[in-house]
Amino acid sequence: MFRVGDKIVHPMHGAGIVDEIVERKVNGIVRDYYSLKLPSGDMLVMIPTDTCEAIGVRSILTGAETEQVLGEISHLEVQMDTNWNHRYRDNMLRLKSGNLLEVAKVVKGLSGRDSRRGLSNGERKMLHTARQIMASEIGLAQHISYQEAECRVDQATHP
């Protein structure tokens, strides 16, 4: 169980700080929710406390661990399927894994594809989401602004 002030990561929304734990009634069911404040766009995400493990919510990595991930990006070999549907499904599974290195594969693979061929609207949105997930965790872990973290992600994926 997380506490107010903990830095956690939601696999599909990125990292944030638990702002409060609130009780809400949704569809007739009363549950406790983590109110997660995200650094990008001041977005607020409500996460049911009893489903965090199933969703893949976890504590953020340390600054050193995120630095290691950034260092590994240049050595990543990312295989992208030529079929759009397969590529999208594979990338979505990487995002949902909650693993920052897997998210980095999505960023690197789609960034490379974008520079070579361009991306569909769906893949462009996925690239934006993956960059946001990476930048939010790196920013919180390394105690830097979201914009600085975005620059770090861009430098790592476009050496």
Side-chain angles (χ1 to χ4, degrees):
M1 181 120 174
F2 300 109
R3 297 184 309 250
V4 172
D6 285 352
K7 297 175 181 179
I8 62 175
V9 179
H10 185 288
M12 295 305 293
H13 297 290
I17 300 171
V18 177
D19 197 38
E20 61 182 334
I21 301 171
V22 295
E23 185 177 89
R24 292 273 157 79
K25 186 176 186 178
V26 177
N27 294 331
I29 300 170
V30 177
R31 300 163 92 174
D32 286 336
Y33 289 83
Y34 293 118
S35 175
L36 183 65
K37 185 172 172 100
L38 302 178
S40 63
D42 291 327
M43 192 166 108
L44 191 66
V45 176
M46 302 297 286
I47 308 167
T49 59
D50 58 345
T51 61
C52 278
E53 192 173 320
I55 294 170
V57 175
R58 62 172 173 77
S59 296
I60 68 166
L61 300 175
T62 65
E65 289 169 328
T66 58
E67 196 60 42
Q68 183 179 358
V69 169
L70 287 169
E72 290 178 27
I73 291 174
S74 64
H75 306 295
L76 286 178
E77 293 291 328
V78 183
Q79 298 298 320
M80 289 273 166
D81 200 301
T82 56
N83 181 292
W84 184 91
N85 289 328
H86 295 159
R87 189 170 58 247
Y88 190 87
R89 184 194 65 229
D90 292 345
N91 284 331
M92 188 58 73
L93 289 173
R94 286 181 176 125
L95 290 180
K96 287 182 178 180
S97 75
N99 180 312
L100 193 59
L101 195 56
E102 290 297 311
V103 176
K105 288 179 182 178
V106 174
V107 173
K108 184 172 183 179
L110 290 179
S111 294
R113 186 168 183 83
D114 189 28
S115 65
R116 289 187 310 275
R117 303 183 122 152
L119 295 174
S120 67
N121 287 336
E123 285 185 313
R124 190 171 314 287
K125 183 177 178 186
M126 181 178 279
L127 174 58
H128 174 77
T129 298
R131 287 182 74 247
Q132 182 267 318
I133 290 168
M134 283 193 72
S136 65
E137 184 164 6
I138 289 166
L140 283 177
Q142 295 187 5
H143 309 288
I144 59 176
S145 73
Y146 180 79
Q147 291 74 22
E148 289 174 284
E150 278 186 316
C151 289
R152 298 285 321 274
V153 171
D154 290 342
Q155 290 167 353
T157 55
H158 300 95

